[in-house]
Amino acid sequence: MKNTQIKILEEIKLKNPIFIEALPGIGHVGKLAADYMIDELEATKFAELYSHHFPPQVFVDEDGLVENMVNEFYYLKSQGKDENDLLILVGNSQALSPEGQYQLSSEILDFVEQFGVKNMYTLGGLATGHPIEKPRVYGAATDIEIIETLRELDIEIRSADGGIVGASGLLLGLGKVRKMKGACLMGETPGYFIDAEAAEALLEKLASLLNIEINTDKLDERAEETRKMISKAQQMEQEIMNKAMGTSEDDLRYIG
Amino acid sequence: MKNTQIKILEEIKLKNPIFIEALPGIGHVGKLAADYMIDELEATKFAELYSHHFPPQVFVDEDGLVENMVNEFYYLKSQGKDENDLLILVGNSQALSPEGQYQLSSEILDFVEQFGVKNMYTLGGLATGHPIEKPRVYGAATDIEIIETLRELDIEIRSADGGIVGASGLLLGLGKVRKMKGACLMGETPGYFIDAEAAEALLEKLASLLNIEINTDKLDERAEETRKMISKAQQMEQEIMNKAMGTSEDDLRYIG
Amino acid sequence: MKNTQIKILEEIKLKNPIFIEALPGIGHVGKLAADYMIDELEATKFAELYSHHFPPQVFVDEDGLVENMVNEFYYLKSQGKDENDLLILVGNSQALSPEGQYQLSSEILDFVEQFGVKNMYTLGGLATGHPIEKPRVYGAATDIEIIETLRELDIEIRSADGGIVGASGLLLGLGKVRKMKGACLMGETPGYFIDAEAAEALLEKLASLLNIEINTDKLDERAEETRKMISKAQQMEQEIMNKAMGTSEDDLRYIG
Amino acid sequence: MKNTQIKILEEIKLKNPIFIEALPGIGHVGKLAADYMIDELEATKFAELYSHHFPPQVFVDEDGLVENMVNEFYYLKSQGKDENDLLILVGNSQALSPEGQYQLSSEILDFVEQFGVKNMYTLGGLATGHPIEKPRVYGAATDIEIIETLRELDIEIRSADGGIVGASGLLLGLGKVRKMKGACLMGETPGYFIDAEAAEALLEKLASLLNIEINTDKLDERAEETRKMISKAQQMEQEIMNKAMGTSEDDLRYIG
């Protein structure tokens, strides 16, 4: 019995795809940005990933329907002057155990590699623990040229004062071993609520990097919806994950 | 060496069986209801499941006999006007680790699928943490038609304020991926004692759904017995499981 | 790579062997009794078991030599009027993880089954948490005839007020599924020191059950040695195991 | 999918190599000593090890570049009158789970055994928890002849007052089963900062044992750099590892 299953909904081919990951994490900054982007640009879901490494539970939605722990792959064919298709990973969960994290990140890379992915952006939040006037976006990358590109877009470079825990870190790191390049973008956030402003800041930088346009007018509205949908169950989920990583919110700077 | 073994006690065939799961959880509501139903309707045990994913211990019964951690499958041939046979899963334990939970739920579904199961009810308790005058029964389901049926029977629909942790959630969720349909029924309970009233409320709703009759007169007596039999060991068990799930009784709304 | 290796030191055959297990646990009662018995009756070591399920450490002995986590198998050919050979398992460690506990107990049963084992005694301590004037010996068993035998020897029968966690419980329980019979004998002990008196009480009952004689005169001396040898490292070990089982000394009645 | 991968950077042959291990641990004493030795003697990296057993994260260096959890193998051809080549293992991480620790130590031994390793030194720190005037070096070994050699060099022999947790212990212990010989050298350190003095003491004893010369003049400077580079992330890492081992800094005497 395989611990992880990917269910293909549509057979697709992609042209020079850029991989974007945004699984649940601090302030749901990455998830909110990517979910909005998928809606706004009308990306198409083409695969679902189920795994024994997710927390052993289901969510219940507002209609009383059970919802599996799942990761979802979307694609977006290149638009306007941009030459790259996009392959976007979102979901309601990350792997729970440390070894599950590695296993799942490897299987995700195996999957996206088939579509010719050579570049990626992983999205997350950087928790400050205190209110922020105007959220900045921080970045870390697999090579120095990308660092330069981030700098040109006024993205703050993270220096050696912390690691990146979870999928956003591992996908970059394991990708690097496979000669994939990429960066992790982190929206600065207090970390204790669904943060639309951090997601907006993040989305603006991502749009510049991808050379596309994303209208962020409805992001605030979306954040409100997300606040409602992200039930106590998902908060519980976050707590479970934090414990699994052996960290508490107190000593945790970043989960992406 | 296989981590899970199913020992067949009797080879059987079932007609349109409905699968009912009731493993230990909050207030032992589901377990109490199902154990009573098995006794009252004289269901027959036909298989036992042993697993390395259970807690590493044995119980000692009132005669000093050791009792393995075990899950047990019972069947009940259709009665009166009802057209469905029943396949009931009870036991003294759930898998301890998150990955064990997924593994075991998958193996249980593999097993019951062989008998033609397409529908299921998973039974549990919903902890309120405070005394309840008249326990309500809550429900969540895999599709909207079942939700409607639950509503017609005055079962409260859970909205997006919590998940369902453990076997009651996973069996529904993993079943849904296999095109099985079902609902989780949760008897409202303070959660800190063996709750016969919640089990009675649950059993009445279940009987309506299954279109059978169950005399609940002796349920209270049974609850008393269960209180005695469920020793400190099983309380210890519950605590171990709570810890394994990364939750404490404080932040835990539901384990089924 | 196999997670568990059994290194055979001597090829042996045994006549109707009775299997005796005494791995580290509460008050080291079982271990102390079995180690003494091995010395006193001059049993012979014939196999060593190494496992990835043990704690990830080595001990350092009084000469500065490193000592692996290991389980050891001894045999003793039948003496005097007794008809059974003995196969004794001792060691400095138990499996750390719950699934490791099941795995290792299964592999131990696979191994001893080759020698024709059909009966076993597992030895441990029963922690009271307070001083004891004259330690009693408690028992639990796989069938009612053995319970009767225990009663005849004034062994107290444990009723349904607790489970047996760890190897002493699992070997009995998993053995029962394989049609092996047996009992767990537990010497009553405060639980927070190396308890020679509990071990002596245990050994006397075991000798009666095995129909052999064991001179316990030097047991006290041996306990003193054990106290010295059982270093802080082994106490640390015990704490790690307690945590792994999700229990603390406060809520733990028995580990055998 | 393999959980551990060793990436060969250069195919080499070694003459009677001595294996030296120095992964992160208490006070980073072993790591600091070995990193310095590699720089000072200009050892060459020839292999990298990546594993799913490492913590699920990446570090970010001072330039914003992501850095995988990795172990690295260096070699040093024999110098001057010494007849042994050296094979040195350093890295930024140890396996997180107890079973991962065993798995990884076994795979490391499989790898170094190919080069003919028969002897090893594992390096670490011994935490005192209080300031030390002149750090001593402690040792434990696989056989009594090595203990004698350690004594001749005024290395204190650890007696039975503690174990050796982690790679430094397991490599020795599992090596012993394979007939490899070796010792663990531990520099005495308060344990709560990067300790150049303990590393210097350790390096002097190691140089004597290896019969080579190492100029330790720049070690203090190196310690300062290490202090800067060992970011909060690596402290977090240490905390995660401590928790994984089921120990806290309070009850932990040694991790090597």
Side-chain angles (χ1 to χ4, degrees), chain B residues 147-171:
Chain B
I147 293 286
E148 284 315 308
T149 308
L150 300 182
R151 256 191 239 281
E152 283 161 20
L153 292 170
D154 289 328
I155 291 167
E156 307 275 332
I157 302 307
R158 288 201 77 191
S159 57
D161 66 341
I164 303 174
V165 179
S168 286
L170 280 192
L171 288 168

PDB file of all heavy atoms in Angstrom, chain B residues 147-171:
ATOM      1  N   ILE B 147     -26.748  14.590   4.230  1.00  0.00           N
ATOM      2  CA  ILE B 147     -26.978  15.728   5.136  1.00  0.00           C
ATOM      3  C   ILE B 147     -28.486  15.998   5.254  1.00  0.00           C
ATOM      4  O   ILE B 147     -29.015  16.184   6.356  1.00  0.00           O
ATOM      5  CB  ILE B 147     -26.235  16.998   4.628  1.00  0.00           C
ATOM      6  CG1 ILE B 147     -24.717  16.829   4.710  1.00  0.00           C
ATOM      7  CG2 ILE B 147     -26.702  18.254   5.383  1.00  0.00           C
ATOM      8  CD1 ILE B 147     -24.132  16.905   6.104  1.00  0.00           C
ATOM      9  N   GLU B 148     -29.174  15.965   4.105  1.00  0.00           N
ATOM     10  CA  GLU B 148     -30.630  16.199   4.117  1.00  0.00           C
ATOM     11  C   GLU B 148     -31.349  15.139   4.947  1.00  0.00           C
ATOM     12  O   GLU B 148     -32.227  15.450   5.751  1.00  0.00           O
ATOM     13  CB  GLU B 148     -31.179  16.203   2.680  1.00  0.00           C
ATOM     14  CG  GLU B 148     -30.869  17.475   1.910  1.00  0.00           C
ATOM     15  CD  GLU B 148     -31.121  18.727   2.749  1.00  0.00           C
ATOM     16  OE1 GLU B 148     -32.227  18.862   3.309  1.00  0.00           O
ATOM     17  OE2 GLU B 148     -30.185  19.546   2.888  1.00  0.00           O
ATOM     18  N   THR B 149     -30.963  13.886   4.757  1.00  0.00           N
ATOM     19  CA  THR B 149     -31.558  12.796   5.539  1.00  0.00           C
ATOM     20  C   THR B 149     -31.334  12.999   7.032  1.00  0.00           C
ATOM     21  O   THR B 149     -32.234  12.776   7.845  1.00  0.00           O
ATOM     22  CB  THR B 149     -30.928  11.445   5.107  1.00  0.00           C
ATOM     23  OG1 THR B 149     -31.025  11.331   3.694  1.00  0.00           O
ATOM     24  CG2 THR B 149     -31.651  10.275   5.764  1.00  0.00           C
ATOM     25  N   LEU B 150     -30.118  13.403   7.398  1.00  0.00           N
ATOM     26  CA  LEU B 150     -29.814  13.641   8.815  1.00  0.00           C
ATOM     27  C   LEU B 150     -30.712  14.747   9.368  1.00  0.00           C
ATOM     28  O   LEU B 150     -31.287  14.620  10.450  1.00  0.00           O
ATOM     29  CB  LEU B 150     -28.338  14.023   9.000  1.00  0.00           C
ATOM     30  CG  LEU B 150     -27.267  13.012   8.548  1.00  0.00           C
ATOM     31  CD1 LEU B 150     -25.868  13.550   8.844  1.00  0.00           C
ATOM     32  CD2 LEU B 150     -27.448  11.646   9.194  1.00  0.00           C
ATOM     33  N   ARG B 151     -30.860  15.810   8.575  1.00  0.00           N
ATOM     34  CA  ARG B 151     -31.693  16.939   9.000  1.00  0.00           C
ATOM     35  C   ARG B 151     -33.135  16.494   9.254  1.00  0.00           C
ATOM     36  O   ARG B 151     -33.766  16.908  10.232  1.00  0.00           O
ATOM     37  CB  ARG B 151     -31.705  17.999   7.896  1.00  0.00           C
ATOM     38  CG  ARG B 151     -30.839  19.197   8.194  1.00  0.00           C
ATOM     39  CD  ARG B 151     -31.143  20.302   7.178  1.00  0.00           C
ATOM     40  NE  ARG B 151     -29.963  20.673   6.429  1.00  0.00           N
ATOM     41  CZ  ARG B 151     -29.005  21.480   6.920  1.00  0.00           C
ATOM     42  NH1 ARG B 151     -29.083  21.932   8.142  1.00  0.00           N
ATOM     43  NH2 ARG B 151     -27.962  21.794   6.180  1.00  0.00           N
ATOM     44  N   GLU B 152     -33.634  15.634   8.374  1.00  0.00           N
ATOM     45  CA  GLU B 152     -35.025  15.166   8.522  1.00  0.00           C
ATOM     46  C   GLU B 152     -35.237  14.413   9.839  1.00  0.00           C
ATOM     47  O   GLU B 152     -36.345  14.389  10.375  1.00  0.00           O
ATOM     48  CB  GLU B 152     -35.394  14.246   7.341  1.00  0.00           C
ATOM     49  CG  GLU B 152     -35.681  15.027   6.060  1.00  0.00           C
ATOM     50  CD  GLU B 152     -35.598  14.150   4.821  1.00  0.00           C
ATOM     51  OE1 GLU B 152     -35.703  12.908   4.953  1.00  0.00           O
ATOM     52  OE2 GLU B 152     -35.383  14.701   3.717  1.00  0.00           O
ATOM     53  N   LEU B 153     -34.157  13.812  10.342  1.00  0.00           N
ATOM     54  CA  LEU B 153     -34.253  13.066  11.607  1.00  0.00           C
ATOM     55  C   LEU B 153     -33.845  13.917  12.813  1.00  0.00           C
ATOM     56  O   LEU B 153     -33.537  13.399  13.880  1.00  0.00           O
ATOM     57  CB  LEU B 153     -33.368  11.822  11.541  1.00  0.00           C
ATOM     58  CG  LEU B 153     -33.830  10.743  10.561  1.00  0.00           C
ATOM     59  CD1 LEU B 153     -32.755   9.685  10.390  1.00  0.00           C
ATOM     60  CD2 LEU B 153     -35.129  10.100  11.051  1.00  0.00           C
ATOM     61  N   ASP B 154     -33.847  15.249  12.593  1.00  0.00           N
ATOM     62  CA  ASP B 154     -33.477  16.177  13.680  1.00  0.00           C
ATOM     63  C   ASP B 154     -32.072  15.946  14.221  1.00  0.00           C
ATOM     64  O   ASP B 154     -31.814  16.143  15.421  1.00  0.00           O
ATOM     65  CB  ASP B 154     -34.500  16.102  14.831  1.00  0.00           C
ATOM     66  CG  ASP B 154     -35.821  16.723  14.424  1.00  0.00           C
ATOM     67  OD1 ASP B 154     -35.791  17.683  13.620  1.00  0.00           O
ATOM     68  OD2 ASP B 154     -36.872  16.236  14.868  1.00  0.00           O
ATOM     69  N   ILE B 155     -31.193  15.492  13.363  1.00  0.00           N
ATOM     70  CA  ILE B 155     -29.776  15.438  13.734  1.00  0.00           C
ATOM     71  C   ILE B 155     -29.178  16.804  13.401  1.00  0.00           C
ATOM     72  O   ILE B 155     -29.398  17.328  12.310  1.00  0.00           O
ATOM     73  CB  ILE B 155     -29.059  14.301  12.962  1.00  0.00           C
ATOM     74  CG1 ILE B 155     -29.575  12.944  13.475  1.00  0.00           C
ATOM     75  CG2 ILE B 155     -27.552  14.409  13.096  1.00  0.00           C
ATOM     76  CD1 ILE B 155     -29.209  11.763  12.607  1.00  0.00           C
ATOM     77  N   GLU B 156     -28.474  17.385  14.369  1.00  0.00           N
ATOM     78  CA  GLU B 156     -27.856  18.690  14.157  1.00  0.00           C
ATOM     79  C   GLU B 156     -26.690  18.557  13.178  1.00  0.00           C
ATOM     80  O   GLU B 156     -25.871  17.651  13.329  1.00  0.00           O
ATOM     81  CB  GLU B 156     -27.286  19.249  15.468  1.00  0.00           C
ATOM     82  CG  GLU B 156     -28.247  19.304  16.619  1.00  0.00           C
ATOM     83  CD  GLU B 156     -29.076  20.582  16.575  1.00  0.00           C
ATOM     84  OE1 GLU B 156     -28.581  21.597  16.039  1.00  0.00           O
ATOM     85  OE2 GLU B 156     -30.227  20.540  17.049  1.00  0.00           O
ATOM     86  N   ILE B 157     -26.608  19.453  12.219  1.00  0.00           N
ATOM     87  CA  ILE B 157     -25.477  19.394  11.289  1.00  0.00           C
ATOM     88  C   ILE B 157     -24.322  20.209  11.855  1.00  0.00           C
ATOM     89  O   ILE B 157     -24.490  21.349  12.256  1.00  0.00           O
ATOM     90  CB  ILE B 157     -25.879  19.938   9.899  1.00  0.00           C
ATOM     91  CG1 ILE B 157     -27.063  19.135   9.346  1.00  0.00           C
ATOM     92  CG2 ILE B 157     -24.692  19.879   8.938  1.00  0.00           C
ATOM     93  CD1 ILE B 157     -26.841  17.622   9.341  1.00  0.00           C
ATOM     94  N   ARG B 158     -23.153  19.564  11.911  1.00  0.00           N
ATOM     95  CA  ARG B 158     -21.968  20.297  12.381  1.00  0.00           C
ATOM     96  C   ARG B 158     -21.567  21.279  11.299  1.00  0.00           C
ATOM     97  O   ARG B 158     -21.470  20.924  10.127  1.00  0.00           O
ATOM     98  CB  ARG B 158     -20.785  19.348  12.590  1.00  0.00           C
ATOM     99  CG  ARG B 158     -20.968  18.478  13.793  1.00  0.00           C
ATOM    100  CD  ARG B 158     -19.637  17.950  14.247  1.00  0.00           C
ATOM    101  NE  ARG B 158     -18.909  18.985  14.947  1.00  0.00           N
ATOM    102  CZ  ARG B 158     -17.630  18.875  15.285  1.00  0.00           C
ATOM    103  NH1 ARG B 158     -16.946  17.802  14.939  1.00  0.00           N
ATOM    104  NH2 ARG B 158     -17.018  19.836  15.936  1.00  0.00           N
ATOM    105  N   SER B 159     -21.328  22.517  11.676  1.00  0.00           N
ATOM    106  CA  SER B 159     -20.790  23.452  10.682  1.00  0.00           C
ATOM    107  C   SER B 159     -19.283  23.531  10.881  1.00  0.00           C
ATOM    108  O   SER B 159     -18.711  22.761  11.637  1.00  0.00           O
ATOM    109  CB  SER B 159     -21.462  24.802  10.846  1.00  0.00           C
ATOM    110  OG  SER B 159     -21.256  25.257  12.155  1.00  0.00           O
ATOM    111  N   ALA B 160     -18.669  24.458  10.168  1.00  0.00           N
ATOM    112  CA  ALA B 160     -17.205  24.459  10.085  1.00  0.00           C
ATOM    113  C   ALA B 160     -16.523  24.910  11.369  1.00  0.00           C
ATOM    114  O   ALA B 160     -15.702  25.812  11.342  1.00  0.00           O
ATOM    115  CB  ALA B 160     -16.779  25.344   8.917  1.00  0.00           C
ATOM    116  N   ASP B 161     -16.839  24.302  12.471  1.00  0.00           N
ATOM    117  CA  ASP B 161     -16.173  24.713  13.711  1.00  0.00           C
ATOM    118  C   ASP B 161     -15.343  23.598  14.320  1.00  0.00           C
ATOM    119  O   ASP B 161     -15.065  23.604  15.511  1.00  0.00           O
ATOM    120  CB  ASP B 161     -17.197  25.196  14.726  1.00  0.00           C
ATOM    121  CG  ASP B 161     -18.095  24.068  15.168  1.00  0.00           C
ATOM    122  OD1 ASP B 161     -18.161  23.059  14.443  1.00  0.00           O
ATOM    123  OD2 ASP B 161     -18.716  24.189  16.224  1.00  0.00           O
ATOM    124  N   GLY B 162     -14.946  22.625  13.509  1.00  0.00           N
ATOM    125  CA  GLY B 162     -14.119  21.571  14.090  1.00  0.00           C
ATOM    126  C   GLY B 162     -13.902  20.466  13.088  1.00  0.00           C
ATOM    127  O   GLY B 162     -14.603  20.358  12.083  1.00  0.00           O
ATOM    128  N   GLY B 163     -12.912  19.637  13.371  1.00  0.00           N
ATOM    129  CA  GLY B 163     -12.655  18.494  12.513  1.00  0.00           C
ATOM    130  C   GLY B 163     -13.079  17.230  13.227  1.00  0.00           C
ATOM    131  O   GLY B 163     -13.604  17.279  14.333  1.00  0.00           O
ATOM    132  N   ILE B 164     -12.871  16.107  12.582  1.00  0.00           N
ATOM    133  CA  ILE B 164     -13.140  14.819  13.217  1.00  0.00           C
ATOM    134  C   ILE B 164     -11.829  14.048  13.195  1.00  0.00           C
ATOM    135  O   ILE B 164     -11.339  13.646  12.137  1.00  0.00           O
ATOM    136  CB  ILE B 164     -14.245  14.036  12.473  1.00  0.00           C
ATOM    137  CG1 ILE B 164     -15.528  14.883  12.391  1.00  0.00           C
ATOM    138  CG2 ILE B 164     -14.533  12.716  13.184  1.00  0.00           C
ATOM    139  CD1 ILE B 164     -16.632  14.248  11.541  1.00  0.00           C
ATOM    140  N   VAL B 165     -11.246  13.859  14.381  1.00  0.00           N
ATOM    141  CA  VAL B 165      -9.929  13.250  14.516  1.00  0.00           C
ATOM    142  C   VAL B 165     -10.073  11.755  14.752  1.00  0.00           C
ATOM    143  O   VAL B 165     -10.956  11.337  15.496  1.00  0.00           O
ATOM    144  CB  VAL B 165      -9.154  13.896  15.693  1.00  0.00           C
ATOM    145  CG1 VAL B 165      -7.792  13.247  15.869  1.00  0.00           C
ATOM    146  CG2 VAL B 165      -8.988  15.390  15.479  1.00  0.00           C
ATOM    147  N   GLY B 166      -9.224  10.949  14.127  1.00  0.00           N
ATOM    148  CA  GLY B 166      -9.208   9.509  14.384  1.00  0.00           C
ATOM    149  C   GLY B 166     -10.034   8.724  13.390  1.00  0.00           C
ATOM    150  O   GLY B 166     -10.407   9.230  12.328  1.00  0.00           O
ATOM    151  N   ALA B 167     -10.311   7.475  13.745  1.00  0.00           N
ATOM    152  CA  ALA B 167     -10.924   6.520  12.822  1.00  0.00           C
ATOM    153  C   ALA B 167     -12.271   6.986  12.274  1.00  0.00           C
ATOM    154  O   ALA B 167     -12.553   6.809  11.084  1.00  0.00           O
ATOM    155  CB  ALA B 167     -11.094   5.165  13.514  1.00  0.00           C
ATOM    156  N   SER B 168     -13.108   7.604  13.107  1.00  0.00           N
ATOM    157  CA  SER B 168     -14.427   8.031  12.644  1.00  0.00           C
ATOM    158  C   SER B 168     -14.322   9.056  11.521  1.00  0.00           C
ATOM    159  O   SER B 168     -15.160   9.090  10.625  1.00  0.00           O
ATOM    160  CB  SER B 168     -15.237   8.634  13.799  1.00  0.00           C
ATOM    161  OG  SER B 168     -15.681   7.633  14.670  1.00  0.00           O
ATOM    162  N   GLY B 169     -13.297   9.893  11.586  1.00  0.00           N
ATOM    163  CA  GLY B 169     -13.085  10.862  10.517  1.00  0.00           C
ATOM    164  C   GLY B 169     -12.414  10.236   9.310  1.00  0.00           C
ATOM    165  O   GLY B 169     -12.875  10.375   8.172  1.00  0.00           O
ATOM    166  N   LEU B 170     -11.333   9.508   9.555  1.00  0.00           N
ATOM    167  CA  LEU B 170     -10.535   8.963   8.447  1.00  0.00           C
ATOM    168  C   LEU B 170     -11.304   7.943   7.620  1.00  0.00           C
ATOM    169  O   LEU B 170     -11.164   7.901   6.393  1.00  0.00           O
ATOM    170  CB  LEU B 170      -9.266   8.303   8.978  1.00  0.00           C
ATOM    171  CG  LEU B 170      -8.115   9.233   9.318  1.00  0.00           C
ATOM    172  CD1 LEU B 170      -6.858   8.416   9.535  1.00  0.00           C
ATOM    173  CD2 LEU B 170      -7.893  10.269   8.231  1.00  0.00           C
ATOM    174  N   LEU B 171     -12.087   7.071   8.281  1.00  0.00           N
ATOM    175  CA  LEU B 171     -12.839   6.062   7.526  1.00  0.00           C
ATOM    176  C   LEU B 171     -13.807   6.749   6.562  1.00  0.00           C
ATOM    177  O   LEU B 171     -13.925   6.350   5.398  1.00  0.00           O
ATOM    178  CB  LEU B 171     -13.581   5.120   8.478  1.00  0.00           C
ATOM    179  CG  LEU B 171     -12.680   4.136   9.235  1.00  0.00           C
ATOM    180  CD1 LEU B 171     -13.449   3.458  10.361  1.00  0.00           C
ATOM    181  CD2 LEU B 171     -12.083   3.089   8.286  1.00  0.00           C
TER     182      LEU B 171
END
